Amino acid sequence: MIALGEILIELNALSPGPLRHVSYFEKHVAGSEANYCVAFVRLGNNCVYLGRVGEDEFGHNAIEWLRGKGVDVSHIKFDSSPTGIFFIQRDYPVPSQSESIYYRKGSAGSNLNPDDVDESLVKSANLVHSTGITLAISETAKEAVFKAFSLNEVRSFDTNIRLKLWTPEKARETIMRLLKVHPVKYLITDREDAEILLGKVEDPVKPLMEYTDVLIMKEGPHGASVYYEGRKHFSHGYSVPVRDVVGAGDALGGTFLSLVTSGFPIEKALDYAVVSSALNVTIRGDQENLPSIKDIETFLERVRN
Ligand code: KDG
């Protein structure tokens, strides 16, 4: 898989409540597409990351971390702007929910541009992946996604609409344009994003299936559903201690894509992917608890709920 996006450094509050009173933060490497890459690699497949980091300590941190996880970082460029960061505020103002607070405007990652998209590399991939975040961070990053999607027909897209980065109208216009011009093989979304894209409709599945072969509808703690070839399969979620939900959707999506790439049947891949997202919410950090097959199977053997 080739993934295009922005790697961010995450500073996760060690105590709950408003950030103004938090004194300690834990540092993690994050960014949706990087999370996808690590999940993908953990399940035994290769992922090349296309993007930019700052030539600063956080940029080196990100590259060394991803390399250590087995992601191919040879196409990540250093940029003179700083690596973007975000803080996670937890349990405030809504208990059990996290809020991401970004410091990323003009960041190295947002300088991703179409010249960074190596044509022969993208053409040679089995799958090209990106998200609504990369469409939102800058014009040039958006153009890079459109270019990459024009070079390879096997595409995967996670809507991941972050309303701190753009308006619902802009998100709808841009994502729908991408999907119309470049329909995907895999579309990963949830009901909130679907409502932004389609407005209030009784059933978002049918209209979304016009743009994808396989649709994954994430249902938060309840699990997720997959729709393909006129079929539907629901994988139930698990009741686990929740520390931080940021990154859970990427864990699900990246695990699913890797397993189907390895030839798993779609339904089993989703059952396993839901375990990946359950494990992910039990810790702070988006990538540290992304599971191997053995981890998922151990969970399934021992946890029955
Ligand atoms: O899905 C998790 C991401 O939201 C997180 O890692 C940060 O990429 C990020 C973003 O832009 O919100």
Side-chain angles (χ1 to χ4, degrees), residues 50-196:
L50 277 187
R52 289 178 173 243
V53 292
E55 182 130 40
D56 49 24
E57 286 303 319
F58 286 157
H60 286 286
N61 178 186
I63 288 194
E64 287 170 20
W65 168 267
L66 292 176
R67 184 187 291 124
K69 289 285 173 193
V71 174
D72 181 337
V73 295
S74 59
H75 292 265
I76 300 179
K77 291 186 179 161
F78 282 110
D79 188 277
S80 56
S81 297
T83 305
I85 63 171
F86 73 114
F87 291 82
I88 296 185
Q89 172 172 264
R90 292 186 294 115
D91 299 295
Y92 172 82
V94 185
S96 304
Q97 285 189 16
S98 303
E99 186 184 348
S100 296
I101 295 156
Y102 300 120
Y103 293 81
R104 69 191 306 179
K105 218 174 170 41
S107 63
S110 64
N111 290 336
L112 173 69
N113 66 68
D115 290 341
D116 296 338
V117 178
D118 179 326
E119 295 196 11
S120 58
L121 177 78
V122 174
K123 282 183 181 159
S124 69
N126 289 326
L127 181 62
V128 184
H129 174 77
S130 197
T131 74
I133 296 169
T134 306
L135 294 182
I137 53 178
S138 69
E139 276 302 305
T140 58
K142 179 182 77 187
E143 283 164 21
V145 176
F146 272 84
K147 175 172 173 189
F149 274 25
S150 74
L151 294 170
N152 194 318
E153 287 189 352
V154 192
R155 310 168 191 114
S156 150
F157 186 75
D158 186 329
T159 54
N160 260 349
I161 298 176
R162 303 284 183 261
L163 289 176
K164 287 191 176 168
L165 301 177
W166 52 359
T167 62
E169 293 72 32
K170 190 81 188 142
R172 179 185 315 131
E173 185 271 313
T174 311
I175 293 177
M176 294 314 288
R177 184 155 52 86
L178 179 79
L179 294 176
K180 277 178 191 147
V181 182
H182 303 300
V184 294
K185 185 162 168 89
Y186 303 105
L187 180 63
I188 300 118
T189 192
D190 60 24
R191 296 202 177 259
E192 251 173 70
D193 283 9
E195 190 174 322
I196 292 172

